[in-house]
Amino acid sequence: VEALTQELERHPLTFKVKTGKKGELFASIGGKEIEAEFMSTGLDIKVDLEKPFIALGVHHVELDLGFGKKKKIGIHIFAEK
C-alpha cells in the first residue's frame, strides 16, 4: 500500500478536455473516467464520486486503497489547446 501511495503522489492524474468558449466542459469527468485512467497505468483502483467534475482546475478525490488506508489525490483537468 505504501508503494501505491508513493506512485500516486509521483504521477497525478491529468485530463485534457474539450471546452466551450467560456471554458465549460463538453463532457464531465466521473469515476469511470478516473478508473480508466488508473487502468491505463496498470493500477486497478475503484473510485466512487458523489458527482462528476464539471469544471477545469484541480479537484480532489479520496481513494480507498484497502487495508484501512485512504489517500486524497488531485485530479488535474485542463483545456485542450
Side-chain angles (χ1 to χ4, degrees), residues 1 8 15 29 31 43 65 69 77-79:
V1 175
L8 293 172
F15 292 88
I29 303 294
L43 299 173
L65 304 176
K69 298 280 186 178
I77 304 175
F78 298 104

Side-chain angles (χ1 to χ4, degrees), residues 13 15 29-38 47 49 53 75:
L13 292 184
F15 292 88
I29 303 294
K32 289 181 182 178
E33 290 80 14
I34 296 169
E35 288 173 0
E37 189 65 23
F38 278 130
V47 178
L49 295 177
F53 301 122
I75 306 293

Side-chain angles (χ1 to χ4, degrees), residues 1-73:
V1 175
E2 282 301 317
L4 177 57
T5 300
Q6 291 174 0
E7 182 73 17
L8 293 172
E9 289 173 353
R10 281 194 304 269
H11 303 288
L13 292 184
T14 302
F15 292 88
K16 292 186 180 179
V17 297
K18 293 184 179 183
T19 59
K21 291 182 181 181
K22 296 180 182 178
E24 69 278 8
L25 299 177
F26 286 140
S28 61
I29 303 294
K32 289 181 182 178
E33 290 80 14
I34 296 169
E35 288 173 0
E37 189 65 23
F38 278 130
M39 288 299 289
S40 75
T41 64
L43 299 173
D44 186 12
I45 297 176
K46 299 298 178 201
V47 178
D48 184 26
L49 295 177
E50 285 186 30
K51 55 186 178 178
F53 301 122
I54 57 171
L56 297 174
V58 178
H59 304 274
H60 293 91
V61 62
E62 188 171 76
L63 305 175
D64 185 350
L65 304 176
F67 304 103
K69 298 280 186 178
K70 294 190 179 203
K71 176 71 178 169
K72 186 177 275 192
I73 65 164

